[in-house]
Structure formats: structure tokens, C-alpha cells
């Protein structure tokens, strides 16, 4: 992996950002003391002894550096990066000067969610691996809470000739979704035989986009209402489709292939088979970001509430977009971010990009009116709410949506392996009481007509979608 070619310096500029090292001070001091002592004492041997130090220092400083090193970070061109995938990056140090850099010390920070397994400078295609003792992070696994030491978090040393680039190559794999920084990186250079050293040159970090891994998800075709123009779901409106709605008398404009000859011969009048049109549906995925629970262990460890929410959203969006439906996203929180409804492959890529910026936003105010403003939710849309049900406002939001006549499905994202606090007095009793109160709240939501189902991947919403579609076909009672 190589960066852009560093141009040769054409016009020397005054040296800026360079400072003398202690070695230069010692050489000048020693040569000066020997010369003064030789002159005062009249000893030629002291003058001869000082000559190598003076001549060596002058020879090393005959060509002084005129420019600071250039440092930049590049990300590997491996296409879209998904959780668990291989990640590559390079910290490049360029020498735009007319003198060689005798010693270059490079150091870079890397996000703990990017586990770097191999780091070293590439010279003619050969990568010097890090020592075995430094290749295994502490504990040998994903750091709890996203904290740990990477093998890239140490100095790397090389030399850079004039008008060349040295690449510190980093290779590893991504542990968790999100935007993870590689950097900031810095470099210091020693030249003129180690007599001059540059100031630290820093570069801004590069954000590596890691998309959530899509969990396997399949759902039945049942939708409450299909209200689009074309699609794969059966609607309740007559039209061209594959769902039989009944048999009626032939009318002008009916196609001949729709004639039901058995009924026509029996009734001695032409009859046609009436069908229901196939239309697309709108799916609104609502992400509850008011609270977080559990500790994320990355792609191969335990999942927190936010991990389950993001991965389930990606799976649901991929399923319905693949079927040709329109999908939109909403955040239930103070930020109230929204992704407009659309269909197709481009919308799926937009969904993945949108999910990278999902964060928990604890807030004390009620975000309902801010999130559900006028004309934000279609009356025919299926609303899938991903919530851990840790906040009463989330339950109240679900109840208000159900009372408003929306087709709502609540998906419980609370981890099943959430452990209770131990050895903390009454904490375990309080935890059990909280669990009971949460179960009562879920029961009340179901009484209000809000189905609550735990996320379990493929088939999680099948029975719930059938029930919601069945309720959608029933007549509604109540005044406007």
C-alpha cells in the first residue's frame, strides 16, 4: 500500500520546526573545550583530538533539512466493511526534503474495536511483523466495554530516503459496527547524523466505516395494508394480481383470459374471476434510543441493547427492501433523526450508512411530539418498534400509537442474559421487582393491542404479522 509520490523540493527554504539534539550540544561543547584547552595549554594533541568532533559536526550539518515530514493515513480499498471483516490501513510518512531521514519514529492510535493483528513497515512488499509478545492483546479477546491495548499502540522506527514514502501497514479485523478512528498519527524525524530532530508532525484520524452484520431474517408476506402502486403484497383493492377475490359478471374492459368458463356455462352468462391487486407496503422501523443495557462484546461476544437494535434494523430493512417495499427509519429520542421512505438497493445502502450514527441519547423530556410530527407516519404503514422497554415513555409511546389506529409491532431488544447485580445489598431484590414490573407493563401493552415479541432472527415476527394483518381486515368500531 503506497501513498502519493512526494515531490522533490525545488527551492530550499529556511529550516523551521527543527531543533538541535543533545548530541549536537555535546559535540560542540566537547570540541570547544578541547580547542580552548589546547590553545591555553599550548598542547597540540588536544587540538588534534578536537578536530574529529569539529569536522564531523560540520560535515553532518553541511546539508540541513528545509522541510518537515509529511504524514497521512489511508484506508485499504477492500470495499464495504462489515463486522468481523478484515480491515487494512496505512500510516504513511513522506520525505519531501533533499536530505535523507536517518531515523523516523511513527506512532498511531487505533480504535479498540479495530483489532490490529499485524503491523509493520512494507519494504519491497515485505512486512515486518510485530514481535509475538505484542501481537496478542491483554486477555486474548475483545476488550469489555470496547477498551484494550492494540499492538499498533507503540512506536515504529524506520528510515526514509529523500523523495520516498514509508508505509506503516496495519492489518486486522473489525469487532463492532460504527465509525472507528484510525489515528491521530504522528511522526518525529532525526537527520544530519542525529544532530537535528523535527517537531512532532500530527495528522487527523481517518474514520473507518464498519457496517452492522445483517442477521438472518425472513418474514411471512402478511402485511396490514398494502397501499402502494405495485409490489409483492396482496391488498384489499381489486385489480390485476394473483389473489382470488371472487367471481362477478363480465363487464366491458375485462380481459378474456379472466373468464371463468365453468361458472359462465352454469349461469348461461359470462363471468370473470376477480382478483386483488398486488401492491407494495411501507415499513417504518422505530429505534428506541432512550436507554442502553448490557455490555457489547463485539461481533463474536455478547450483544447490548444498541447492538441488537442496529443489527435487527439492518436485517428487517434488507428483507422488506429486497421484496420491493418502502422502508423508513425513525429515532425515538431527543435527536429525532429520520430517514425518508424509499425502496431499492440504494435505500438499503443509505440505511446502513444511517445506522452508523445511532447512539443512545438519555433525555428527561418527552420526545413523542418531536418524533411523530404531522405527516410523518402513513396511516397504512407497518410500524416496527425496536425497544428494550426500559423507560415508561417507550411504553406510553406504543400505547399512543395503538390508540391512534397504527399497525404497531414491538420487538423486545433487552438481552436475555442480562445478569442481576450481586453482593450489593438489596440490589438483587430490586432487580427482581423491576423484572416483575416490566412483565406487567408488557402485559398491559398486549391488552392495548400492541404485540410484543422478543427478537430471535428469522421468523421472529411471523405470527405477530399474521395477527396484525388479520386485525387490519376487521371492521373498526368507533367515532371519528
Amino acid at each position: 500500500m503506497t501513498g502519493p509520490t512526494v515531490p522533490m523540493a525545488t527551492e530550499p527554504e529556511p529550516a523551521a520546526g527543527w531543533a538541535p539534539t543533545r548530541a549536537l550540544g555535546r559535540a560542540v561543547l566537547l570540541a570547544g573545550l578541547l580547542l580552548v584547552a589546547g590553545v591555553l595549554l599550548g598542547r597540540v594533541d588536544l587540538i588534534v583530538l578536537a578536530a574529529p568532533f569539529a569536522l564531523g559536526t560540520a560535515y553532518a550539518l553541511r546539508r540541513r533539512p528545509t522541510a518537515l515530514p509529511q504524514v497521512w493515513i489511508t484506508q485499504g480499498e477492500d470495499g464495504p466493511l462489515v463486522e468481523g471483516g478484515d480491515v487494512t490501513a496505512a500510516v504513511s510518512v513522506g520525505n519531501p526534503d533533499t536530505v535523507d531521514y536517518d531515523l523516523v519514529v511513527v506512532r498511531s492510535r487505533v480504535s479498540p474495536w479495530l483489532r490490529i493483528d499485524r503491523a509493520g513497515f512494507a519494504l519491497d512488499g515485505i512486512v515486518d511483523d510485530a514481535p509475538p509478545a505484542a501481537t496478542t492483546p491483554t486477555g486474548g479477546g475483545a476488550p469489555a466495554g470496547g477498551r484494550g491495548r492494540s499492538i499498533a499502540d507503540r512506536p515504529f522506527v524506520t528510515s526514509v530516503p529523500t523523495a520516498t514514502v514509508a508505509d506503516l501497514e496495519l492489518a486486522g479485523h473489525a469487532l463492532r459496527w460504527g465509525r472507528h478512528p484510525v489515528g491521530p498519527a504522528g511522526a518525529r524525524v532525526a537527520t544530519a547524523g542525529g544532530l537535528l530532530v523535527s517537531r512532532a508532525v500530527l495528522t487527523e484520524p481517518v474514520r473507518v466505516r464498519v457496517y452492522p452484520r445483517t442477521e438472518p431474517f425472513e418474514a411471512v408476506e402478511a402485511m396490514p395494508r398494502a397501499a402502494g402502486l405495485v409490489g409483492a403484497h396482496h391488498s384489499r383493492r381489486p385489480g390485476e394480481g394473483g389473489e382470488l377475490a371472487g367471481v362477478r359478471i363480465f363487464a366491458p374492459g375485462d380481459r378474456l383470459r379472466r373468464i371463468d368458463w365453468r361458472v359462465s356455462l352454469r349461469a348461461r352468462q359470462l363471468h370473470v374471476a376477480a382478483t386483488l391487486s398486488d401492491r407494495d407496503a411501507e415499513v417504518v422501523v422505530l429505534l428506541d434510543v432512550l436507554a442502553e443495557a448490557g455490555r457489547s462484546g463485539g461481533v463474536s461476544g455478547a450483544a447490548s441493547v444498541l447492538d441488537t437494535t442496529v443489527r435487527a434494523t439492518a436485517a428487517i430493512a434488507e428483507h422488506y427492501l429486497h421484496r420491493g417495499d418502502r422502508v423508513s427509519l425513525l429515532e425515538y429520542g431527543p435527536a429525532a433523526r429520520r430517514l425518508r421512505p424509499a425502496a431499492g438497493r440504494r435505500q438499503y445502502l443509505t440505511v446502513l450508512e444511517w445506522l452508523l450514527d445511532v447512539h443512545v441519547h438519555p433525555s428527561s423530556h418527552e420526545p413523542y411530539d418531536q418524533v411523530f410530527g404531522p405527516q410523518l407516519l402513513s396511516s397504512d404503514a407497518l410500524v416496527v418498534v425496536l425497544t428494550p422497554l426500559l423507560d415508561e415513555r417507550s411504553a406510553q409511546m406504543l400505547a399512543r400509537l395503538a390508540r391512534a389506529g397504527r399497525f404497531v409491532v414491538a420487538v423486545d431488544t433487552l438481552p436475555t442474559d442480562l445478569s442481576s447485580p450481586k453482593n450489593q445489598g438489596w440490589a438483587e431484590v430490586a432487580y427482581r421487582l423491576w423484572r416483575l414490573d416490566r412483565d406487567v407493563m408488557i402485559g398491559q401493552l398486549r391488552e392495548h393491542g400492541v404485540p410484543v415479541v422478543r427478537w430471535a432472527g428469522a421468523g421472529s415476527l411471523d405470527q405477530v404479522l399474521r395477527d396484525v394483518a388479520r386485525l387490519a381486515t376487521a371492521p373498526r368500531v368507533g367515532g371519528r
Side-chain angles (χ1 to χ4, degrees), residues 423-453:
N423 302 325
Q424 296 184 14
W426 295 93
E428 186 173 356
V429 177
Y431 175 79
R432 293 169 60 187
L433 291 175
W434 169 78
R435 276 286 190 180
L436 292 175
D437 182 67
R438 186 173 180 273
D439 293 340
V440 171
M441 179 174 61
I442 292 176
Q444 292 176 347
L445 286 175
R446 288 170 176 164
E447 291 178 357
H448 280 78
V450 179
V452 181
V453 60

Side-chain angles (χ1 to χ4, degrees), residues 243-330:
E243 184 74 9
L244 183 64
V247 179
R248 58 176 177 81
I249 299 176
F250 180 86
D254 289 337
R255 297 187 178 183
L256 296 180
R257 64 184 182 90
R258 292 288 185 182
I259 296 177
D260 190 329
W261 293 106
R262 297 176 60 182
V263 177
S264 299
L265 292 174
R266 187 168 57 250
R268 297 183 179 276
Q269 188 177 6
L270 286 180
H271 284 71
V272 294
T275 58
L276 299 177
S277 61
D278 294 336
R279 298 170 180 260
D280 67 340
E282 180 179 346
V283 180
V284 179
V285 184
L286 181 62
L287 289 73
D288 183 359
V289 294
L290 292 178
E292 169 71 308
R295 303 181 67 181
S296 176
V299 66
S300 58
S304 65
V305 166
L306 199 60
D307 289 340
T308 304
T309 299
V310 170
R311 292 166 186 163
T313 302
I316 294 173
E318 182 185 32
H319 172 75
Y320 285 109
L321 288 173
H322 181 71
R323 296 186 58 83
D325 297 323
R326 289 165 289 120
V327 175
S328 63
L329 303 181
L330 277 174

Side-chain angles (χ1 to χ4, degrees), residues 23-255:
L24 176 60
R26 289 193 296 266
V28 172
L29 178 62
L30 184 57
L33 289 177
L34 291 175
L35 288 174
V36 171
V39 171
L40 294 179
L41 299 177
R43 296 181 56 179
V44 180
D45 57 337
L46 295 179
I47 298 176
V48 173
L49 187 61
F53 293 98
L55 293 176
T57 303
Y59 180 80
L61 295 177
R62 76 191 190 282
R63 297 176 62 191
R64 302 184 60 183
T66 59
L68 290 173
Q70 298 176 347
V71 183
W72 65 90
I73 302 174
T74 55
Q75 182 182 352
E77 299 178 358
D78 300 328
L81 184 60
V82 186
E83 287 179 301
D86 296 332
V87 57
T88 57
V91 181
S92 302
V93 181
N95 182 359
D97 214 323
T98 57
V99 297
D100 296 338
Y101 290 159
D102 302 325
L103 184 70
V104 178
V105 181
V106 184
R107 190 165 188 172
S108 174
R109 291 181 179 270
V110 180
S111 169
W113 292 119
L114 299 177
R115 177 180 293 174
I116 302 301
D117 303 319
R118 193 166 59 115
F121 285 99
L123 299 175
D124 298 329
I126 301 176
V127 177
D128 298 328
D129 291 337
T135 56
T136 304
T138 303
R147 294 182 296 271
R149 183 177 178 84
S150 171
I151 66 169
D153 189 15
R154 65 179 181 87
F156 293 85
V157 180
T158 187
S159 60
V160 183
T162 180
T164 58
V165 176
D167 295 327
L168 173 61
E169 294 190 349
L170 308 175
H173 57 279
L175 299 179
R176 189 173 184 259
W177 57 271
R179 302 181 191 271
H180 305 302
V182 175
R188 296 195 71 179
V189 173
T191 187
L195 301 181
L196 296 177
V197 63
S198 72
R199 63 173 175 84
V201 179
L202 303 178
T203 184
E204 293 296 325
V206 172
R207 299 282 176 175
V208 177
R209 295 177 294 180
V210 181
Y211 297 121
R213 185 175 64 177
T214 303
E215 299 180 358
F217 176 74
E218 292 291 339
V220 296
E221 296 185 9
M223 292 292 288
R225 282 184 184 171
L229 297 178
V230 294
H233 300 290
H234 303 311
S235 69
R236 292 183 294 172
R237 299 180 181 180
E240 293 294 329
E243 184 74 9
L244 183 64
V247 179
R248 58 176 177 81
I249 299 176
F250 180 86
D254 289 337
R255 297 187 178 183

